[in-house]
Amino acid sequence: MNLDLEPVARRFVGAALQQDNSLFTPGRAIWAAAVLDALHQHLTRPLEQRGQPFVEELIAQLQGAVPDTCQLAAELLAMVLLPARDISADEKHTMVSSVLQRMPDPPALPAELVAAFATGLGDIGARLRATLRVQAAVLLTFVRLWKQLPAADQSHALRDPWTFKVQLYTVPAGKVPLMHEALLHLVHPATFEPLLLPEQKQQAAQQYAHFLVESTSDVDQRLAQIREHYHQQYGTLPDFDALPALSPAIRIGNAAAVEGDHPLPHLDPATLHQRIRELQHELLIDQTTLLRIYRALIAGQHVILSGPPGTGKTHLASLLPRMLWRDDSSGQVGYAVDLVTATEDWSVRHVIGGIVPRLLQRSDETRLDYTVRHGCFSRAVLSNYRNYDGEHVPALLQRHTISGGDGTLYRGVWLVIDELNRAPVDAAFGSLLTTLGGQRTPLTVPTSTGEVAVPLPRDFRIIGTLNSFDRHFLNQMSEALKRRFVFIDILPPPRSAAAAEQALALYRALLRLAEHGMPGVLAEPEIGQAAWGQVVQVRRTENASVPYTLQISDEQAAPVFTDFWRMFSAIRVYRQLGTAQVEAVYSSLLTGRSSGMTWPLALDTALADVLADQLQILARDELRIVLALLEHAATPDIFAHHVRQMLAALPYPRQLAQLAALRDAYPPPLPADFPAIDGDPATLTAQHLAQVFAVGAPLLCSDERLFVQRLTAFVEERGI
């Protein structure tokens, strides 16, 4: 044993295990059964606020404790901190002293304890910090049980190390048995090695296995054999501290054994529904869709969100892990996301990693070098483990709380891949078939010294997004890889949510304009309120289905917003654009008006500049019907006549497509006389089309007719 630790170890054995004495003030019965029981009662009190550092929680639980109990808590904490070599002596001293300050006349720490604080047994600081409460409970429970043993049994256990170990292990060790390992060495240093991590002991036993004579499953007995026979052969003791760094196989071990690795928490229904309501203040996505996503994630599946552009897929993928799994008690904000955008040149190197070139500058010389760089998947997985620096796989895998750049704490990191189907998915992800299959198969990560097997954290997930207009790209994804994901469509809000969607889109537009300093815009996201002068105001409500309400106070502005929505709803008959497109038009509309344009011109230019290019992919007949609406919105019969004429002139497949689109867009319930998909377009009535396209009043249009010109150009450029 280290010479600085020996006197503290002897003092602990004498004070706590042989007598009812004290580490700090000999002659005072601090480690007596009654004081131990009193401290136990304080530490089992419920905390009003969890998630604080252990010492702060300990001090809170000592409220009302008598001085002896406070001193025992400090002495207990000192013994728990003692083994950690990589926690500074000053920090240990500060933590113990802060507990002693609960006493009216706190004692000074003994000089030998202060000296021992600077030594320790092993580099276990990270694990110890994460489990301080557990280790303190183990030590307290063990000594309380020890006091109940007959004196003869106590004496025998102090003479026989293996009996002592049996007594010690009657107290459950949990997943991190640091206190067990420390006590073994402190009480019986001649028998038990100063190795506090089970994997270190296993590595030492494996490294020197050729010195074993008798087979035993007890690793401490194997190390004792090794030490004895090594000494017999060489006259010295083996240096277990000089072992090489743990090999990947030993370092990783069983995935379930990774410290701090837990499954994705299940949320109780009340909490889940509350978090869903919070999400719906950001995105107009129905509860059933959000529950489907939650169900897939909690079942261990990875998710791909599919849908038209602008429906909030990427926003949802980034927001959902943060909000659903927020832990208010610990202050952790769910899961951070590593957001990447797939491209057509992706390969295994971009996803898993590989060798990449780099330029090295030395003095006046620049030369080409090569290094191994982790891909997005490897980087996201490894970010969940402590001490990952972006380049090197940590020697010991431990889960940890992630700290964001702004001090925000996260449970872990997920990977979000935007526009997933832009990449050659099968080529880039094919090697992950087994890893993503749910069999807990580790990820093989390339390093400069070879490949390392890294287990996927049990709560790690991938969320991908894809544009459903480009869904043909999915032909590049094999059926085997598709089975690794759950596909869930994120569609625009239904017509019944029109008021809520307009208010949310305008709220976001005002937030964006406020960021860019537009005069007259007031945005207060903390209270969910935004406005532009006396023209428009948006306020947050507590209603999940209508999270924001919109008020338009300007009489000239009101018909502009109404007519825009009529046009946008008509466009959605043929292309399901998302709320983001509404937000973009509103931003352009308000900016145009702020720049001195009339309301009609501001709307016309916003449609021409922001929305028109989104419609270039529409079929010629679809564009013609939109143009007919812009021209004849005030006359339902004339508009219906033009629509019937155009449909009658179409080839049969296009007629089917048009009738299907009109039926899908008709607000329920669908009347019995509405033409079937394979029916006669001539039976479409003005009343039918008025329900789909909201005709019956003229639409605002500027004299320049810029939007009409853009759509007309698209029609003239294309054939059927």
Side-chain angles (χ1 to χ4, degrees):
M1 180 185 293
N2 183 285
L3 293 178
D4 287 329
L5 289 177
E6 186 175 353
V8 176
R10 286 201 309 268
R11 180 177 284 204
F12 169 76
V13 172
L17 304 184
Q18 292 178 319
Q19 306 169 35
D20 296 339
N21 213 322
S22 167
L23 299 177
F24 298 172
T25 53
R28 190 171 176 179
I30 296 299
W31 288 84
V35 185
L36 290 162
D37 291 342
L39 179 58
H40 171 73
Q41 291 178 4
H42 278 278
L43 295 187
T44 52
R45 286 179 176 178
L47 282 166
E48 293 183 3
Q49 183 177 7
R50 286 199 172 273
Q52 303 299 313
F54 168 68
V55 175
E56 294 182 22
E57 292 185 349
L58 175 61
I59 292 172
Q61 289 182 304
L62 289 173
Q63 184 72 30
V66 299
D68 282 359
T69 305
C70 294
Q71 182 167 330
L72 175 60
E75 294 189 11
L76 183 85
L77 179 60
M79 290 305 300
V80 172
L81 294 171
L82 179 69
R85 187 167 55 204
D86 51 344
I87 296 179
S88 71
D90 288 342
E91 184 177 357
K92 295 176 185 176
H93 195 294
T94 300
M95 293 170 73
V96 174
S97 297
S98 65
V99 178
L100 287 174
Q101 296 308 310
R102 300 291 304 172
M103 301 174 60
D105 186 19
L109 270 61
E112 60 188 21
L113 178 62
V114 175
F117 273 171
T119 304
L121 290 173
D123 295 333
I124 59 167
R127 293 192 181 195
L128 185 60
R129 291 178 196 276
T131 61
L132 266 175
R133 178 171 289 278
V134 174
Q135 307 309 327
V138 166
L139 178 55
L140 178 62
T141 303
F142 168 69
V143 181
R144 290 181 69 220
L145 293 175
W146 177 270
K147 298 292 183 180
Q148 299 172 20
L149 293 175
D153 289 350
Q154 292 179 358
S155 297
H156 179 65
L158 291 177
R159 292 192 306 271
D160 180 9
W162 306 111
T163 301
F164 179 82
K165 182 175 181 179
V166 171
Q167 292 291 348
L168 176 61
Y169 271 80
T170 59
V171 179
K175 294 183 178 180
V176 191
L178 299 179
M179 209 61 240
H180 285 69
E181 303 294 350
L183 286 172
L184 289 176
H185 179 70
L186 292 173
V187 178
H188 288 286
T191 301
F192 298 102
E193 298 294 332
L195 300 174
L196 304 187
L197 300 177
E199 57 263 36
Q200 290 178 321
K201 289 189 173 184
Q202 294 291 348
Q203 184 196 16
Q206 183 177 353
Q207 190 84 4
Y208 291 90
H210 51 287
F211 288 97
L212 288 174
V213 175
E214 298 177 6
S215 176
T216 173
S217 60
D218 189 319
V219 68
D220 290 305
Q221 292 181 357
R222 279 183 281 161
L223 292 177
Q225 281 189 57
I226 290 169
R227 186 171 56 251
E228 178 184 357
H229 295 108
Y230 187 97
H231 184 265
Q232 291 174 356
Q233 183 169 344
Y234 296 106
T236 61
L237 294 176
D239 188 1
F240 294 140
D241 286 336
L243 291 173
L246 295 173
S247 67
I250 298 173
R251 183 185 345 150
I252 305 307
N254 189 308
V258 172
E259 182 185 336
D261 190 36
H262 302 291
L264 188 63
H266 286 248
L267 304 177
D268 65 83
T271 300
L272 175 59
H273 290 154
Q274 173 60 33
R275 301 285 165 80
I276 285 177
R277 285 195 294 272
E278 293 176 18
L279 277 169
Q280 289 174 325
H281 277 94
E282 298 284 339
L283 293 160
L284 285 177
I285 298 176
D286 64 278
Q287 178 172 296
T288 299
T289 299
L290 294 173
L291 285 173
R292 290 167 60 202
I293 298 170
Y294 169 79
R295 178 187 64 186
L297 294 171
I298 208 70
Q301 297 167 308
H302 306 285
V303 172
I304 289 180
L305 306 178
S306 171
T311 54
K313 300 181 295 296
T314 306
H315 191 188
L316 175 62
S318 301
L319 199 62
L320 184 142
R322 289 170 50 96
M323 294 186 68
L324 282 193
W325 283 280
R326 184 180 74 244
D327 186 351
D328 294 329
S329 63
S330 68
Q332 294 175 350
V333 187
Y335 293 87
V337 299
D338 187 349
L339 175 62
V340 296
T341 302
T343 62
E344 61 183 9
D345 64 343
W346 264 24
S347 65
V348 173
R349 178 170 59 84
H350 295 87
V351 177
I352 306 300
I355 298 175
V356 296
R358 64 177 177 178
L359 291 175
L360 291 182
Q361 185 75 35
R362 292 184 179 176
S363 300
D364 296 331
E365 178 187 3
T366 301
R367 65 183 182 86
L368 182 65
D369 190 14
Y370 292 89
T371 187
V372 173
R373 182 173 299 162
H374 295 150
C376 62
F377 185 81
S378 300
R379 183 179 65 245
V381 169
L382 287 166
S383 294
N384 287 278
Y385 295 113
R386 189 185 302 279
N387 297 326
Y388 175 59
D389 59 4
E391 295 184 14
H392 306 97
V393 177
L396 183 66
L397 294 185
Q398 300 172 306
R399 292 296 302 276
H400 69 131
T401 299
I402 310 296
S403 179
D406 58 354
T408 305
L409 300 179
Y410 298 94
R411 293 175 181 265
V413 177
W414 288 7
L415 178 63
V416 172
I417 306 176
D418 202 20
E419 302 288 351
L420 177 63
N421 52 330
R422 296 292 180 185
V425 182
D426 221 42
F429 285 82
S431 60
L432 293 175
L433 280 174
T434 306
T435 302
L436 297 177
Q439 290 83 25
R440 302 289 292 144
T441 303
L443 169 68
T444 301
V445 178
T447 72
S448 57
T449 57
E451 294 182 331
V452 174
V454 177
L456 258 64
R458 296 168 68 189
D459 57 354
F460 175 78
R461 301 290 186 272
I462 300 173
I463 301 180
T465 74
L466 62 85
N467 184 340
S468 58
F469 284 118
D470 299 328
R471 193 141 191 169
H472 59 279
F473 280 103
L474 279 181
N475 293 330
Q476 300 176 16
M477 183 183 287
S478 67
E479 291 301 319
L481 195 53
K482 286 181 185 179
R483 289 198 301 272
R484 269 58 181 177
F485 294 90
V486 172
F487 290 81
I488 297 177
D489 285 332
I490 306 297
L491 301 175
R495 284 196 175 201
S496 58
E501 184 177 9
Q502 293 174 73
L504 176 60
L506 186 55
Y507 176 72
R508 288 186 191 160
L510 289 170
L511 291 184
R512 180 192 298 182
L513 294 175
E515 288 179 1
H516 291 285
M518 178 170 158
V521 174
L522 174 66
E524 299 177 283
E526 300 81 8
I527 60 174
Q529 187 168 305
W532 181 41
Q534 299 300 314
V535 179
V536 292
Q537 300 86 33
V538 186
R539 287 183 173 84
R540 183 184 297 156
T541 72
E542 295 304 317
N543 188 338
S545 60
V546 186
Y548 294 91
T549 58
L550 167 62
Q551 180 180 351
I552 303 175
S553 304
D554 188 307
E555 294 182 357
Q556 294 181 335
V560 175
F561 284 91
T562 300
D563 284 2
F564 161 69
W565 195 253
R566 291 172 61 198
M567 295 183 222
F568 190 74
S569 299
I571 290 166
R572 271 186 171 169
V573 173
Y574 299 115
R575 183 164 191 189
Q576 291 188 310
L577 298 174
T579 308
Q581 278 77 14
V582 183
E583 176 188 342
V585 171
Y586 282 164
S587 295
S588 182
L589 171 65
L590 297 181
T591 307
R593 178 59 178 159
S594 177
S595 302
M597 294 181 182
T598 64
W599 278 113
L601 181 59
L603 176 60
D604 193 20
T605 54
L607 292 170
D609 299 343
V610 175
L611 203 60
D613 280 335
Q614 300 277 328
L615 309 182
Q616 194 169 6
I617 67 168
L618 294 185
R620 187 179 181 185
D621 53 273
E622 294 168 340
L623 288 167
R624 281 178 165 172
I625 290 180
V626 173
L627 284 168
L629 173 69
L630 297 177
E631 188 72 24
H632 304 293
T635 52
D637 290 336
I638 296 176
F639 172 68
H641 173 72
H642 279 276
V643 171
R644 287 192 293 266
Q645 271 194 327
M646 282 186 276
L647 296 187
L650 291 176
Y652 185 62
R654 284 303 307 159
Q655 283 187 5
L656 297 180
Q658 274 283 0
L659 287 173
L662 296 176
R663 287 175 64 89
D664 290 342
Y666 196 97
L670 188 71
D673 63 342
F674 197 93
I677 292 177
D678 58 350
D680 184 359
T683 60
L684 279 170
T685 67
Q687 289 75 20
H688 291 154
L689 294 172
Q691 289 294 314
V692 175
F693 293 102
V695 293
L699 289 169
L700 285 174
C701 187
S702 71
D703 294 338
E704 286 80 356
R705 297 174 59 86
L706 297 173
F707 185 50
V708 170
Q709 291 178 31
R710 294 293 307 278
L711 298 190
T712 302
F714 296 156
V715 171
E716 294 173 351
E717 289 171 0
R718 303 180 52 168
I720 295 176

